Amino acid sequence: MTEKVKALLGLARRAGKVASGDAQVEAMLKKGRGYLLLLAEDVPAAQKKYLQWARDCHLEVVIAGHKEELGLCLGLSPRAAVLILDQGFAGAILEARR
């Protein structure tokens, strides 16, 4: 994960445009909200569940970093899944990965 992606994740969280953790991400996906789903590469069991939901919601999925790294970017404990709730942040994160 690039430093720019990490910074964008932190900004998105401070702006209130992120859902993280199983309960929050699951609730938002069930409501059909979100623009980009980031999954930790070191949690394959969670990936399967979230990949199916993402397909159902037609979301782009990025598998990047470990759960500890995702949590640190957000200033939180380790996170297996992070859902970006803003189209601008989602686009910026995808662009920063290239």
Side-chain angles (χ1 to χ4, degrees), residues 41-54:
E41 58 193 33
D42 59 339
V43 190
Q47 283 181 12
K48 185 176 181 181
K49 171 176 73 170
Y50 287 118
L51 287 172
Q52 183 59 50
W53 274 335

Side-chain angles (χ1 to χ4, degrees), residues 13-32:
R13 178 173 184 265
R14 287 190 294 280
K17 304 298 182 183
V18 168
S20 67
D22 286 338
Q24 281 187 5
V25 172
E26 184 175 335
M28 289 295 133
L29 288 174
K30 285 182 178 178
K31 292 178 183 177

Side-chain angles (χ1 to χ4, degrees), residues 36-95:
L36 176 66
L37 180 63
L38 292 106
L39 296 174
E41 58 193 33
D42 59 339
V43 190
Q47 283 181 12
K48 185 176 181 181
K49 171 176 73 170
Y50 287 118
L51 287 172
Q52 183 59 50
W53 274 335
R55 272 192 291 273
D56 294 344
C57 296
H58 307 289
L59 282 180
E60 185 142 3
V61 177
V62 172
I63 297 175
H66 297 281
K67 61 184 183 179
E68 289 82 13
E69 187 177 16
L70 283 176
L72 281 173
C73 293
L74 301 172
L76 301 169
S77 60
R79 304 291 173 174
V82 176
L83 182 64
I84 306 300
L85 303 173
D86 179 82
Q87 192 170 15
F89 277 115
I93 289 169
L94 289 172
E95 185 66 31

